[in-house]
Amino acid sequence: SQELEQSPQSLIVQEGKNLTINCTSSKTLYGLYWYKQKYGEGLIFLMMLQKGGEEKSHEKITAKLDEKKQQSSLHITASQPSHAGIYLCGCSSGDAGNMLTFGGGTRLMVKP
Amino acid sequence: DGGITQSPKYLFRKEGQNVTLSCEQNLNHDAMYWYRQDPGQGLRLIYYSQIVNDFQKGDIAEGYSVSREKKESFPLTVTSAQKNPTAFYLCASRIGDRTIIGYTFGSGTRLTVV
């Protein structure tokens, strides 16, 4: 199965600072998803990228997929305490089952 | 509103007991999935089902069983054979059309062995 590596594993930033989370695959990504999770809760869908070079933004969060479709980054501008949580990248298997495989997650804390 | 309902939110199991986690969706989604999440880790696939009366093992199926008798329901049984069941369990669903890629997740069940 496809493996996804996320970095960093954890991140503490001061409110107002920018930050970037990376997600790397050894294989071409068919569909790359970014989710946010509050502790003990379900996953909140952020964005999905499919095309090489694609970039999407929602409020202060921007996600990019590189041209080779093997690496994605999630960038948060002017972080706020509400951005705190676990960020997970996931990729679709692309076959009939279309299972999602996830990276290990990045735990983000934003200090007021 | 359509969505996925997981119950209970918290579940405690004694050693040697089987327990069943409920997952119900009213989204008319064809495919359903069960994931396990351990502290500080990502999600790992336990079982998935693409249609009624059919399901496939995921990466960590040992010690778990599922059924898919109805489109709306995909219960997960954690058996006594699962040696380390304490974890957070998430259910997800997806419409069957491969060209439409969108997953919906439930709010999870936290299982603790006591």
Side-chain angles (χ1 to χ4, degrees):
Chain A
S1 61
Q2 189 156 19
E3 290 191 0
L4 294 177
E5 291 285 337
Q6 272 187 252
S7 62
Q9 287 186 320
S10 63
L11 194 54
I12 303 174
V13 299
Q14 196 71 38
E15 182 177 359
K17 296 294 186 182
N18 302 337
L19 64 107
T20 299
I21 298 169
N22 294 302
C23 178
T24 302
S25 172
S26 57
K27 301 179 183 178
T28 299
L29 294 164
Y30 177 73
L32 191 285
Y33 296 75
W34 282 102
Y35 288 90
K36 179 185 174 183
Q37 183 185 30
K38 293 285 190 182
Y39 179 76
E41 298 180 12
L43 273 61
I44 300 169
F45 173 75
L46 296 175
M47 276 168 276
M48 193 269 280
L49 306 167
Q50 275 191 292
K51 300 176 183 177
E54 188 174 9
E55 179 176 321
K56 290 186 178 179
S57 294
H58 177 68
E59 298 182 342
K60 295 184 178 181
I61 300 177
T62 299
K64 300 178 184 179
L65 183 62
D66 73 339
E67 290 288 346
K68 292 184 178 180
K69 296 174 62 176
Q70 288 187 286
Q71 185 167 359
S72 178
S73 61
L74 188 80
H75 184 78
I76 299 177
T77 303
S79 59
Q80 302 168 356
S82 61
H83 288 128
I86 301 171
Y87 289 83
L88 292 155
C89 66
C91 66
S92 174
S93 60
D95 56 19
N98 253 323
M99 293 82 73
L100 276 179
T101 300
F102 288 89
T106 296
R107 184 177 296 271
L108 172 64
M109 293 178 59
V110 180
K111 295 169 62 177
Chain B
D1 288 339
I4 295 182
T5 301
Q6 288 188 242
S7 62
K9 189 171 178 64
Y10 299 97
L11 188 57
F12 297 89
R13 191 194 94 168
K14 293 182 179 180
E15 296 277 355
Q17 275 186 341
N18 292 356
V19 289
T20 298
L21 283 61
S22 171
C23 178
E24 304 277 335
Q25 54 99 0
N26 59 4
L27 299 164
N28 200 33
H29 283 177
D30 300 295
M32 298 186 74
Y33 308 81
W34 272 107
Y35 289 91
R36 168 180 171 142
Q37 185 178 32
D38 292 284
Q41 297 187 29
L43 280 66
R44 293 182 290 169
L45 182 66
I46 305 172
Y47 267 99
Y48 67 100
S49 168
Q50 297 180 68
I51 57 172
V52 175
N53 292 323
D54 184 60
F55 47 83
Q56 307 294 330
K57 293 182 179 180
D59 299 321
I60 55 166
E62 185 174 353
Y64 300 97
S65 66
V66 294
S67 63
R68 188 84 187 278
E69 297 177 0
K70 299 186 299 182
K71 188 176 185 178
E72 310 81 48
S73 179
F74 191 41
L76 173 74
T77 297
V78 184
T79 74
S80 57
Q82 171 50 239
K83 298 306 178 187
N84 185 23
T86 295
F88 188 59
Y89 292 86
L90 281 164
C91 179
S93 70
R94 182 186 62 82
I95 198 164
D97 188 338
R98 288 183 61 189
T99 63
I100 302 173
I101 305 177
Y103 301 82
T104 301
F105 282 84
S107 57
T109 292
R110 182 164 300 279
L111 173 64
T112 303
V113 173
V114 296

